[in-house]
Coordinates of all heavy atoms in Angstrom, one line a residue:
F816 N -15.6 -1.3 1.2 CA -14.3 -1.7 0.6 C -13.2 -0.6 0.7 O -12.6 -0.2 -0.2 CB -14.4 -2.2 -0.8 CG -15.0 -3.5 -1.0 CD1 -16.4 -3.7 -1.0 CD2 -14.2 -4.6 -1.0 CE1 -17.0 -4.9 -1.1 CE2 -14.8 -5.9 -1.1 CZ -16.2 -6.1 -1.1
D817 N -13.1 -0.1 2.0 CA -12.2 1.1 2.2 C -10.7 0.7 2.3 O -9.9 1.6 2.3 CB -12.7 1.9 3.4 CG -12.8 1.1 4.7 OD1 -12.6 -0.2 4.6 OD2 -13.2 1.6 5.7
K818 N -10.4 -0.5 2.4 CA -9.0 -1.0 2.4 C -8.5 -1.2 1.0 O -7.3 -1.3 0.8 CB -8.9 -2.3 3.2 CG -9.4 -2.2 4.6 CD -8.4 -1.5 5.5 CE -8.7 -1.7 7.0 NZ -9.9 -1.0 7.4
L819 N -9.3 -1.2 0.0 CA -8.9 -1.6 -1.4 C -8.1 -0.4 -1.9 O -8.4 0.8 -1.8 CB -10.2 -1.8 -2.2 CG -10.0 -2.2 -3.7 CD1 -11.3 -2.9 -4.1 CD2 -9.7 -1.1 -4.6
K820 N -6.9 -0.7 -2.5 CA -6.1 0.3 -3.1 C -5.8 0.0 -4.6 O -5.7 -1.2 -5.0 CB -4.8 0.4 -2.4 CG -5.0 1.1 -1.0 CD -3.6 1.3 -0.4 CE -3.8 2.0 1.0 NZ -2.5 2.4 1.6
L821 N -5.7 1.0 -5.4 CA -5.4 0.9 -6.9 C -4.0 1.3 -7.1 O -3.5 2.3 -6.6 CB -6.3 1.8 -7.6 CG -7.9 1.7 -7.4 CD1 -8.6 2.8 -8.2 CD2 -8.4 0.3 -7.6
T822 N -3.3 0.5 -7.9 CA -1.9 0.8 -8.2 C -1.6 0.7 -9.7 O -2.4 0.0 -10.4 CB -0.9 -0.1 -7.5 OG1 0.4 0.3 -7.7 CG2 -1.1 -1.6 -7.9
N823 N -0.6 1.3 -10.2 CA -0.2 1.1 -11.6 C 1.2 0.4 -11.7 O 1.8 0.4 -12.7 CB -0.1 2.5 -12.4 CG 0.8 3.5 -11.7 OD1 1.3 3.3 -10.6 ND2 1.2 4.5 -12.4
N824 N 1.6 -0.1 -10.5 CA 2.8 -0.9 -10.4 C 2.6 -2.3 -10.8 O 2.0 -3.1 -10.0 CB 3.4 -0.7 -9.0 CG 4.7 -1.5 -8.8 OD1 5.3 -2.0 -9.8 ND2 5.1 -1.7 -7.6
L825 N 3.1 -2.7 -12.0 CA 2.8 -4.1 -12.5 C 3.5 -5.1 -11.6 O 3.2 -6.3 -11.6 CB 3.3 -4.2 -13.9 CG 2.6 -3.4 -15.0 CD1 3.3 -3.5 -16.3 CD2 1.2 -3.9 -15.1
L826 N 4.5 -4.7 -10.8 CA 5.3 -5.6 -10.0 C 4.8 -5.5 -8.5 O 5.5 -6.0 -7.6 CB 6.8 -5.3 -10.0 CG 7.4 -5.3 -11.5 CD1 8.8 -5.0 -11.4 CD2 7.2 -6.7 -12.0
D827 N 3.7 -4.9 -8.3 CA 3.2 -4.7 -6.9 C 3.1 -6.1 -6.2 O 2.5 -7.0 -6.7 CB 1.7 -4.1 -7.0 CG 1.1 -4.0 -5.6 OD1 1.4 -3.1 -4.8 OD2 0.2 -4.9 -5.3
D828 N 3.6 -6.1 -5.0 CA 3.5 -7.3 -4.1 C 2.7 -7.1 -2.8 O 2.8 -7.8 -1.9 CB 4.9 -7.9 -3.8 CG 5.8 -6.9 -3.1 OD1 5.3 -5.8 -2.8 OD2 7.0 -7.2 -2.8
N829 N 1.9 -6.0 -2.9 CA 1.0 -5.8 -1.7 C -0.4 -6.2 -1.9 O -1.2 -6.0 -1.0 CB 1.0 -4.2 -1.4 CG 2.4 -3.7 -1.1 OD1 3.1 -4.2 -0.2 ND2 2.9 -2.7 -1.8
G830 N -0.7 -6.9 -3.0 CA -2.0 -7.3 -3.2 C -3.0 -6.3 -3.7 O -4.2 -6.5 -3.8
H831 N -2.5 -5.1 -4.1 CA -3.4 -4.0 -4.6 C -3.9 -4.4 -6.0 O -3.3 -5.2 -6.7 CB -2.6 -2.7 -4.7 CG -2.1 -2.2 -3.4 ND1 -2.7 -2.5 -2.2 CD2 -1.0 -1.4 -3.0 CE1 -2.0 -1.9 -1.2 NE2 -1.0 -1.3 -1.7
I832 N -5.0 -3.8 -6.4 CA -5.5 -3.9 -7.7 C -4.6 -3.2 -8.7 O -4.5 -2.0 -8.5 CB -7.0 -3.4 -7.8 CG1 -7.9 -4.2 -6.8 CG2 -7.5 -3.5 -9.2 CD1 -8.2 -5.7 -7.3
I833 N -4.2 -3.9 -9.7 CA -3.2 -3.3 -10.7 C -4.1 -2.8 -11.9 O -4.7 -3.6 -12.6 CB -2.2 -4.2 -11.1 CG1 -1.4 -4.7 -9.9 CG2 -1.2 -3.6 -12.2 CD1 -0.3 -5.8 -10.2
L834 N -4.0 -1.5 -12.2 CA -4.7 -1.0 -13.4 C -3.8 -0.2 -14.3 O -2.8 0.3 -13.8 CB -5.8 0.0 -12.9 CG -6.9 -0.6 -12.0 CD1 -7.9 0.4 -11.6 CD2 -7.6 -1.8 -12.6
N835 N -4.1 -0.1 -15.5 CA -3.4 0.7 -16.5 C -3.9 2.1 -16.4 O -5.2 2.4 -16.6 CB -3.5 0.2 -17.9 CG -2.7 -1.1 -18.1 OD1 -1.5 -1.2 -17.7 ND2 -3.2 -2.0 -18.9
S836 N -3.1 3.1 -16.3 CA -3.5 4.5 -16.3 C -4.0 4.9 -17.7 O -3.6 4.3 -18.7 CB -2.3 5.4 -16.0 OG -2.7 6.8 -16.0
M837 N -5.0 5.8 -17.8 CA -5.6 6.2 -19.0 C -6.5 5.1 -19.7 O -6.6 5.1 -20.9 CB -4.6 6.8 -20.0 CG -3.8 7.9 -19.4 SD -4.7 9.2 -18.6 CE -4.2 10.6 -19.6
H838 N -6.9 4.2 -18.9 CA -7.9 3.1 -19.3 C -9.1 3.2 -18.5 O -9.1 3.6 -17.3 CB -7.2 1.7 -19.2 CG -6.0 1.6 -20.2 ND1 -4.9 2.4 -20.2 CD2 -5.9 0.6 -21.2 CE1 -4.1 1.9 -21.1 NE2 -4.7 0.9 -21.7
R839 N -10.2 2.8 -19.0 CA -11.5 2.8 -18.3 C -11.8 1.4 -17.7 O -11.7 0.4 -18.4 CB -12.6 3.2 -19.3 CG -12.5 4.7 -19.8 CD -13.6 5.0 -20.7 NE -14.9 5.1 -20.0 CZ -16.1 4.7 -20.4 NH1 -16.2 4.3 -21.7 NH2 -17.2 4.9 -19.7
Y840 N -12.4 1.5 -16.5 CA -12.7 0.3 -15.8 C -14.1 0.3 -15.2 O -14.7 1.3 -14.9 CB -11.7 0.1 -14.7 CG -10.3 -0.3 -15.2 CD1 -9.4 0.8 -15.4 CD2 -10.0 -1.6 -15.5 CE1 -8.1 0.5 -15.9 CE2 -8.7 -1.8 -16.0 CZ -7.8 -0.8 -16.2 OH -6.5 -1.1 -16.7
Q841 N -14.7 -1.0 -15.0 CA -15.9 -1.2 -14.3 C -15.6 -2.1 -13.1 O -15.2 -3.2 -13.2 CB -16.9 -1.9 -15.2 CG -18.2 -2.4 -14.5 CD -19.1 -1.3 -14.1 OE1 -19.6 -0.5 -14.9 NE2 -19.3 -1.2 -12.8
P842 N -15.8 -1.5 -11.9 CA -15.7 -2.4 -10.7 C -16.8 -3.4 -10.7 O -18.0 -3.1 -11.1 CB -15.9 -1.4 -9.5 CG -15.7 0.0 -10.1 CD -16.1 -0.1 -11.5
R843 N -16.5 -4.6 -10.3 CA -17.5 -5.6 -10.1 C -17.5 -6.2 -8.6 O -16.4 -6.3 -8.0 CB -17.3 -6.8 -11.0 CG -17.6 -6.5 -12.5 CD -17.6 -7.7 -13.3 NE -16.4 -8.6 -13.2 CZ -16.2 -9.7 -13.8 NH1 -17.1 -10.1 -14.7 NH2 -15.1 -10.4 -13.7
F844 N -18.7 -6.5 -8.1 CA -18.8 -7.0 -6.7 C -19.3 -8.4 -6.7 O -20.3 -8.6 -7.4 CB -19.7 -6.0 -5.9 CG -20.1 -6.5 -4.6 CD1 -19.2 -6.7 -3.6 CD2 -21.5 -6.7 -4.3 CE1 -19.6 -7.2 -2.3 CE2 -21.9 -7.2 -3.1 CZ -21.0 -7.4 -2.1
H845 N -18.7 -9.2 -6.0 CA -19.2 -10.7 -6.0 C -19.5 -11.1 -4.6 O -18.7 -10.9 -3.7 CB -18.0 -11.5 -6.6 CG -17.6 -11.1 -7.9 ND1 -18.1 -11.3 -9.1 CD2 -16.5 -10.3 -8.2 CE1 -17.4 -10.7 -10.1 NE2 -16.4 -10.1 -9.5
V846 N -20.6 -11.8 -4.5 CA -21.0 -12.5 -3.3 C -20.8 -14.0 -3.4 O -21.4 -14.6 -4.4 CB -22.5 -12.2 -2.9 CG1 -22.9 -13.0 -1.6 CG2 -22.7 -10.7 -2.7
V847 N -20.0 -14.7 -2.6 CA -19.7 -16.1 -2.8 C -20.1 -16.9 -1.6 O -19.6 -16.6 -0.5 CB -18.1 -16.3 -3.1 CG1 -17.9 -17.7 -3.4 CG2 -17.7 -15.4 -4.2
F848 N -21.0 -17.8 -1.8 CA -21.4 -18.7 -0.8 C -20.3 -19.7 -0.5 O -19.8 -20.4 -1.4 CB -22.7 -19.4 -1.2 CG -23.1 -20.6 -0.3 CD1 -23.3 -20.5 1.0 CD2 -23.3 -21.9 -0.9 CE1 -23.6 -21.6 1.8 CE2 -23.6 -23.0 -0.2 CZ -23.7 -22.8 1.2
V849 N -19.9 -19.9 0.8 CA -18.9 -20.9 1.2 C -19.6 -22.2 1.3 O -20.3 -22.5 2.3 CB -18.2 -20.4 2.5 CG1 -17.1 -21.5 2.9 CG2 -17.6 -19.1 2.4
D850 N -19.4 -23.0 0.3 CA -20.2 -24.3 0.2 C -19.5 -25.4 1.0 O -18.3 -25.7 0.8 CB -20.2 -24.7 -1.3 CG -21.2 -25.9 -1.5 OD1 -21.5 -26.6 -0.6 OD2 -21.7 -25.9 -2.7
P851 N -20.1 -25.9 2.1 CA -19.5 -26.9 3.0 C -19.3 -28.3 2.3 O -18.6 -29.1 2.9 CB -20.4 -26.9 4.2 CG -21.7 -26.5 3.7 CD -21.5 -25.6 2.5
R852 N -19.9 -28.5 1.2 CA -19.8 -29.8 0.6 C -18.4 -30.2 0.2 O -17.6 -29.3 -0.3 CB -20.7 -29.9 -0.6 CG -22.2 -29.9 -0.3 CD -23.1 -29.9 -1.5 NE -23.1 -28.6 -2.2 CZ -23.9 -28.3 -3.2 NH1 -24.8 -29.2 -3.6 NH2 -23.8 -27.1 -3.8
R853 N -18.0 -31.4 0.3 CA -16.7 -31.9 0.0 C -16.3 -31.6 -1.4 O -15.2 -31.3 -1.8 CB -16.4 -33.3 0.3 CG -15.7 -33.5 1.7 CD -14.7 -34.6 1.7 NE -15.1 -35.8 1.2 CZ -15.6 -36.8 2.0 NH1 -15.7 -36.6 3.2 NH2 -15.9 -38.0 1.5
D854 N -17.3 -31.8 -2.3 CA -16.9 -31.6 -3.8 C -17.4 -30.2 -4.2 O -17.9 -30.1 -5.4 CB -17.5 -32.7 -4.6 CG -19.1 -32.8 -4.3 OD1 -19.6 -32.2 -3.4 OD2 -19.7 -33.6 -5.1
S855 N -17.3 -29.2 -3.4 CA -17.9 -27.9 -3.6 C -17.4 -27.3 -4.9 O -18.1 -26.5 -5.5 CB -17.7 -27.0 -2.5 OG -16.3 -26.8 -2.3
E856 N -16.2 -27.6 -5.4 CA -15.7 -27.0 -6.6 C -16.5 -27.3 -7.8 O -16.6 -26.6 -8.7 CB -14.2 -27.3 -6.8 CG -13.9 -28.7 -7.1 CD -13.7 -29.5 -5.7 OE1 -13.8 -29.0 -4.7 OE2 -13.5 -30.7 -5.8
R857 N -17.2 -28.5 -7.7 CA -18.1 -28.8 -8.9 C -19.3 -27.9 -9.0 O -19.9 -27.7 -10.0 CB -18.7 -30.2 -8.6 CG -17.8 -31.4 -9.0 CD -18.4 -32.7 -8.7 NE -19.7 -32.8 -9.2 CZ -20.7 -33.5 -8.7 NH1 -20.5 -34.2 -7.6 NH2 -21.9 -33.6 -9.3
F858 N -19.6 -27.2 -7.9 CA -20.7 -26.3 -7.9 C -20.3 -24.8 -7.9 O -21.1 -23.9 -7.6 CB -21.6 -26.5 -6.7 CG -22.0 -28.0 -6.6 CD1 -21.4 -28.8 -5.7 CD2 -23.0 -28.5 -7.4 CE1 -21.7 -30.2 -5.6 CE2 -23.4 -29.9 -7.3 CZ -22.7 -30.7 -6.4
A859 N -19.0 -24.5 -8.1 CA -18.5 -23.2 -7.9 C -19.3 -22.2 -8.8 O -19.6 -21.1 -8.3 CB -17.0 -23.1 -8.4
H860 N -19.7 -22.5 -10.0 CA -20.4 -21.6 -10.9 C -21.8 -21.3 -10.3 O -22.4 -20.2 -10.7 CB -20.5 -22.1 -12.3 CG -21.3 -23.4 -12.3 ND1 -20.8 -24.6 -11.9 CD2 -22.6 -23.7 -12.8 CE1 -21.7 -25.6 -12.1 NE2 -22.8 -25.1 -12.6
Q861 N -22.3 -22.1 -9.4 CA -23.7 -21.8 -8.8 C -23.6 -21.1 -7.5 O -24.6 -20.6 -7.0 CB -24.4 -23.2 -8.5 CG -24.5 -24.1 -9.7 CD -25.1 -25.4 -9.4 OE1 -25.4 -25.7 -8.2 NE2 -25.2 -26.3 -10.4

């Protein structure tokens, strides 16, 4: 994830991750299966 950037600019329009300075954070990583079923949103949690 070398393109990911962190910013403290609340008005950022570059899609960067907005964080508050002097606050602690835990990065989370998510793997999402692209479900080809038409009603896939029903299964989003799975």
Side-chain angles (χ1 to χ4, degrees):
F816 282 85
D817 51 359
K818 303 279 193 291
L819 186 156
K820 289 187 177 181
L821 308 176
T822 184
N823 58 348
N824 178 11
L825 294 172
L826 304 176
D827 173 79
D828 58 4
N829 297 304
H831 300 330
I832 296 289
I833 303 173
L834 304 178
N835 285 324
S836 178
M837 305 307 242
H838 291 60
R839 295 181 67 213
Y840 292 94
Q841 170 68 62
R843 292 191 307 182
F844 167 64
H845 310 276
V846 177
V847 184
F848 165 59
V849 180
D850 194 334
R852 291 175 288 189
R853 259 225 305 271
D854 55 348
S855 62
E856 62 277 358
R857 279 181 47 210
F858 308 101
H860 60 288
Q861 301 173 3

